Amino acid sequence: MSGKVVLHYFDGRGKMESIRWLLTVAEVEFDEVHLTRRDQYEKLLADGVLMYEQVPMVEIDGMHLVQTKAILKYIAEKYNLNGKDMKERAMISMYSEGLTDLMEMIMVLPFTPPAELKTKLETIETKATGRYLPVFEKVVSGSIFLVGGQLSCADVQLMECSLMLEEKFPGILAQFPNIKSFQGRMSEKPAIQRFLQPGSKRKPLKEDAYVKTVMEVFNLKLPIAS
C-alpha cells in the first residue's frame, strides 16, 4: 500500500463525495480508483479489503477503511476537524448526523423510479426547509462556524449539503440568509475555491452514467414502477 490516500468508488458523487470534500478542506492529496466493472469489485472482495462487502473504501495510513461515517471521523480526528473536547465532538456529531440524513435523501434520487420522483422531491424540500435548515440558520446567525469557533467537519458538510440543495431547489436558501452568508464565507477558502472549479476532483452530476455503473458492478436492477 502506498503512502498516498486512495479512494475506491464509482466515478460519481454518492457517499464518497463527503469524503472528497473533507480531504480537500484538510488539504490532503488523494488518488482515486474508479469501479467500472464487476471484476474490479470481485477482486477487492477476494483481497479481503471490503469489510461488509461495501464501498466507499479508503486506503489511508496503512489501513483499508470502510463505512462512510467511520472514514469521515478518522479524517476529522487526524486533521483537527472534530472539535477540542468531548462536548464539542458531541455537537459536531449531532450536526453531521442531521446533514447526512438530508444528503442521503438526495443521494438516492437517481435510483428513484420516475413515477415517485416528484413526491420524493417534495418530501425532501419540506423536510429541508421545515426541519433541518432552520437549525443551522439559527446556529450560524451569531458564529462564523458551527462549533467552538473553529472549522470542523460539520461546517464542511453544511457547505456540501447547501450546494446539493441548491442544485435541486434553486432559491431554497433565499429564506435562510445566514446559511447563504456562511456558504459565501466557506467559498472564500482557497481549497474550496479550487474544489468548486471545473476539472477539480469534485464530481459533476452525471446521474445516468453513475446509476448504470453502480447497477452493473453490483449486479442490481432498478425497480420497475407500476
Side-chain angles (χ1 to χ4, degrees):
M1 184 183 297
S2 69
K4 196 166 187 180
V5 176
V6 182
L7 315 185
H8 295 259
Y9 200 64
F10 307 98
D11 187 13
R13 291 186 182 177
K15 291 192 172 185
M16 187 65 89
E17 192 70 355
S18 290
I19 297 167
R20 297 184 186 105
W21 266 97
L22 196 56
L23 287 170
T24 295
V25 172
E27 302 202 39
V28 177
E29 291 291 328
F30 59 88
D31 290 330
E32 297 199 46
V33 176
H34 294 142
L35 299 179
T36 59
R37 305 184 313 274
R38 174 74 182 178
D39 64 287
Q40 291 175 287
Y41 171 66
E42 290 175 341
K43 185 176 188 309
L44 291 174
L45 293 177
D47 290 344
V49 297
L50 291 187
M51 187 185 297
Y52 313 123
E53 303 181 359
Q54 295 173 341
V55 291
M57 187 270 281
V58 175
E59 295 182 43
I60 184 171
D61 294 341
M63 300 180 291
H64 294 91
L65 294 183
V66 296
Q67 294 294 309
T68 308
K69 291 177 185 177
I71 297 167
L72 291 171
K73 184 175 181 180
Y74 182 84
I75 296 167
E77 288 280 359
K78 179 170 182 175
Y79 296 103
N80 300 314
L81 294 167
N82 200 32
K84 299 184 293 291
D85 55 39
M86 288 180 64
K87 288 185 178 180
E88 287 191 2
R89 287 192 286 275
M91 292 302 300
I92 289 168
S93 291
M94 287 194 292
Y95 292 139
S96 293
E97 290 285 333
L99 290 162
T100 298
D101 288 347
L102 186 51
M103 287 191 286
E104 286 183 347
M105 294 182 215
I106 300 173
M107 285 179 207
V108 301
L109 287 175
F111 302 90
T112 302
E116 301 174 18
L117 190 57
K118 183 174 182 292
T119 300
K120 293 281 188 182
L121 285 166
E122 290 172 350
T123 298
I124 293 169
E125 186 172 19
T126 298
K127 288 184 176 181
T129 56
R131 180 183 301 177
Y132 293 98
L133 292 180
V135 172
F136 298 99
E137 176 70 6
K138 182 178 180 180
V139 176
V140 298
S141 65
S143 177
I144 295 176
F145 301 112
L146 289 171
V147 179
Q150 66 181 32
L151 183 67
S152 74
C153 56
D155 296 298
V156 180
Q157 286 179 293
L158 178 56
M159 179 65 175
E160 179 189 5
C161 185
S162 67
L163 291 173
M164 289 175 68
L165 286 168
E166 286 186 313
E167 286 177 333
K168 296 299 181 184
F169 313 103
I172 191 172
L173 296 185
Q175 56 185 307
F176 301 100
N178 293 328
I179 296 177
K180 191 65 181 176
S181 295
F182 167 88
Q183 192 186 78
R185 292 193 300 271
M186 290 289 285
S187 297
E188 293 173 357
K189 295 185 177 298
I192 292 180
Q193 283 184 349
R194 294 191 297 270
F195 194 60
L196 294 177
Q197 293 301 310
S200 75
K201 290 187 176 180
R202 184 187 185 212
K203 298 301 179 184
L205 280 177
K206 297 186 297 183
E207 293 181 341
D208 290 344
Y210 169 68
V211 169
K212 182 175 183 293
T213 303
V214 171
M215 292 298 156
E216 290 175 353
V217 169
F218 288 146
N219 278 344
L220 300 173
K221 292 184 178 180
L222 281 171
I224 300 174
S226 57

